[in-house]
Amino acid sequence: MESFFETVKTVPLNHYIILSSVIFSIGVMGVLLRRNAIVIFMSVELMLNAVNLLLTAFSVYHGDPNGQVFVFFIMALAAAEVAVGLAIIVMIYRNTNSVDINVLNRLKW
Amino acid sequence: MSIFYFVAFLSILFAVLVISAKNPVHSILYLVLTFFTFTIQYILLNAQFLAIVNFIVYMGAILVLFLYTLMLINLNKDSEPMKTNLVKIAAVLGGGCLLVVIVGALKALGVSQPVILKNPDLGLVKNLGKVLFNEFLLPFEVSSLLLLSAMVGAVLLATKDKKTTV
């Protein structure tokens, strides 16, 4: 088990930052690219998780447990956000019979 | 060391599949796999509490909520109209520019130190619980209020309004 955790010790911090930024950028692309409201929501979850991983890596790097507590709070916030957001999507579907965000353009311009 | 790069490759691959899959159900299943690779990363960092919470809360609760919502609104036909090619290229360029800026700023920093686990029981439940219930007791209680209000709001939004629908 000890040798298992030895594997991380040779990974530079920069590689964690690059991995998180790649995942975050994929999330941004997903929000800009898709028209299905649920897939956009999943891209937001992807961005939240990239930040979580980066906070954990920084927390381990500095030996500070506060970062991991922040990740715990972000997860609680994500759960609340998903519950309310999916309720809003269900309500939108009930009113417009689709989850296409291009239908919801009344606030445009 | 090679475990990290293999898992990182897998998480990037599954994340690309999440946003490129046509069927939303496939998107959710790829998202489950992405979160599983994140759980492996937490275990590699010896953040055991976060690994378990990520496994139970994200993969167990949030993604099942997504699947149930998808089941309720019955989207199994591949009817999502895609955006035009111009918007697609603009979206990929925008995300790529963000990535290039972050990585370029990182390159200016030079070589970084490797991530070394100084305190092996940093991410264990005992250690994190002491921090959570001493320094972060007030935010913890406030987050319970947040979850309660989110539950009330979700029930209020998702129930049918009898006066307007009938």
Side-chain angles (χ1 to χ4, degrees):
Chain A
M1 202 65 181
E2 280 301 315
S3 64
F4 183 64
F5 295 123
E6 295 285 322
T7 56
V8 180
K9 291 187 179 176
T10 48
V11 178
L13 183 66
N14 273 359
H15 292 183
Y16 276 103
I17 303 178
I18 289 174
L19 170 65
S20 292
S21 7
V22 168
I23 303 274
F24 190 90
S25 307
I26 290 172
V28 171
M29 283 179 207
V31 170
L32 296 173
L33 208 61
R34 299 300 296 259
R35 283 171 61 176
N36 189 336
I38 290 182
V39 181
I40 289 177
F41 236 72
M42 284 155 54
S43 304
V44 173
E45 290 300 309
L46 214 55
M47 287 194 266
L48 281 170
N49 261 283
V51 173
N52 281 353
L53 178 66
L54 193 58
L55 269 175
T56 313
F58 278 136
S59 155
V60 171
Y61 181 70
H62 287 290
D64 188 357
N66 287 354
Q68 301 197 11
V69 176
F70 283 171
V71 173
F72 176 71
F73 283 126
I74 291 175
M75 281 176 181
L77 189 126
E81 175 237 344
V82 163
V84 175
L86 286 178
I88 290 174
I89 289 176
V90 168
M91 199 180 62
I92 287 172
Y93 180 75
R94 214 176 270 147
N95 286 333
T96 66
N97 268 323
S98 96
V99 287
D100 188 351
I101 53 161
N102 280 24
V103 176
L104 312 166
N105 55 4
R106 280 182 208 164
L107 281 178
K108 208 173 175 182
W109 305 119
Chain B
M1 183 171 179
S2 55
I3 298 177
F4 169 79
Y5 295 107
F6 180 63
V7 175
F9 168 73
L10 279 186
S11 44
I12 291 171
L13 175 74
F14 288 133
V16 169
L17 283 172
V18 167
I19 64 165
S20 62
K22 287 272 184 292
N23 192 335
V25 177
H26 293 171
S27 271
I28 292 178
L29 295 178
Y30 285 129
L31 196 63
V32 170
L33 287 173
T34 314
F35 286 168
F36 186 67
T37 58
F38 276 89
T39 303
I40 298 172
Q41 297 278 17
Y42 290 141
I43 291 171
L44 281 176
L45 286 168
N46 206 12
Q48 296 176 9
F49 174 68
L50 286 183
I52 296 296
V53 169
N54 196 52
F55 197 83
I56 294 174
V57 173
Y58 261 108
M59 292 168 63
I62 291 182
L63 289 175
V64 170
L65 196 63
F66 269 109
L67 275 175
Y68 266 99
T69 313
L70 212 54
M71 182 191 78
L72 281 177
I73 66 182
N74 192 18
L75 272 184
N76 46 17
K77 52 193 182 300
D78 294 341
S79 63
E80 182 193 355
M82 292 303 281
K83 287 187 173 171
T84 58
N85 275 330
L86 181 69
V87 179
K88 272 186 194 172
I89 294 168
V92 172
L93 269 182
C97 283
L98 176 69
L99 179 63
V100 166
V101 167
I102 295 174
V103 173
L106 204 61
K107 284 288 174 199
L109 286 175
V111 180
S112 66
Q113 303 292 318
V115 176
I116 295 170
L117 197 61
K118 289 163 193 152
N119 184 6
D121 50 335
L122 179 72
L124 301 192
V125 179
K126 185 181 172 189
N127 195 9
L128 281 186
K130 276 179 183 163
V131 177
L132 187 61
F133 290 109
N134 283 324
E135 296 171 48
F136 291 93
L137 187 60
L138 182 64
F140 183 77
E141 298 293 340
V142 172
S143 73
S144 74
L145 271 181
L146 173 77
L147 286 172
L148 178 69
S149 57
M151 187 185 77
V152 172
V155 171
L156 196 68
L157 282 171
T159 43
K160 271 183 189 163
D161 195 357
K162 278 171 195 150
K163 280 177 231 161
T164 53
T165 47
V166 174

